[in-house]
Every structure is written in C-alpha cells, then in structure tokens.
Amino acid sequence: MPYQKGHTRKASRQARSVGKKPASHSAEWEAFAGELGVNLHRARIASGLSQEAVAYRAGLTRYTYQAYERGRSQAHTPANPTLFVMVALSQVLDVPLHKLLPSDLPDVTTR
C-alpha cells in the first residue's frame, strides 16, 4: 500500500491498534515490574553493593538502575529492561537470572 506524505508504517500500525493498551502498560505488567524491582533491591543489599556500584558494573546510569529498583523505566512507565541488561545485573549481583525474575509471569500475548 503506498503511503501518503506524512503517513508512516508506524502510524498505520498505531491506527490499527487504537484502543488497545500495550501489554507493557497493563496492571499485571506493573505488578511484575514492581516485584522485579524488589528482587533487584534485595539482591543488591545481600551483595553489599551500592546502587552506583551495581549501575557502573552493569553499564547503566545510577538513575536508570534506581528506576529499575522502583519497578519503573526512565519514561515513568513499568520497567522493561533488555535481556542484555538483565544478564549484566545477574552477573554483577552474582544471582542466577531466574532468581531476579518474579515467579508469576504476566500474560503479554496480544492474541
């Protein structure tokens, strides 16, 4: 389908999903992100590291790591760190990745 001036594929996808709330903004995801933050905080305290030390060793800013511990992202939405970041945090905190993730996974499928 040819696109008119100013019309993008992204805008077209967004138009098709009007009214749908992204899975990353659901109440389930917010609870999951909050529990992830609690798990990160507990692991950091157990390791004896400061937020600044964990952030530096994981290649993050202190602000970003603090937001993750609060279950939030920099855009004030539920945390959604990349797999790379989660592996880095797992290694810095010396905790298996599965121990950082909450046990109850939210349903994030769209269909």
Side-chain angles (χ1 to χ4, degrees):
M1 166 177 154
Y3 289 91
Q4 298 173 353
K5 184 176 181 179
H7 189 82
T8 65
R9 285 180 179 16
K10 182 177 180 183
S12 179
R13 282 192 309 272
Q14 289 172 339
R16 287 191 303 262
S17 65
V18 169
K20 290 183 181 177
K21 194 173 188 182
S24 63
H25 295 171
S26 73
E28 277 185 298
W29 186 261
E30 288 204 30
F32 181 80
E35 194 174 337
L36 172 64
V38 168
N39 293 348
L40 287 170
H41 176 78
R42 287 180 179 155
R44 179 180 61 78
I45 296 302
S47 73
L49 295 171
S50 67
Q51 288 178 329
E52 189 170 12
V54 171
Y56 177 78
R57 292 176 188 182
L60 302 169
T61 65
R62 182 176 49 90
Y63 180 82
T64 297
Y65 180 74
Q66 287 174 332
Y68 288 158
E69 276 198 8
R70 289 190 309 273
R72 310 304 286 171
S73 74
Q74 290 184 357
H76 304 292
T77 58
N80 194 6
T82 65
L83 182 57
F84 184 89
V85 167
M86 288 304 301
V87 170
L89 291 171
S90 170
Q91 291 172 350
V92 168
L93 296 168
D94 196 27
V95 174
L97 182 57
H98 73 275
K99 297 269 186 183
L100 292 177
L101 297 176
S103 57
D104 292 330
L105 299 177
D107 181 8
V108 296
T109 58
T110 57
R111 297 182 195 259

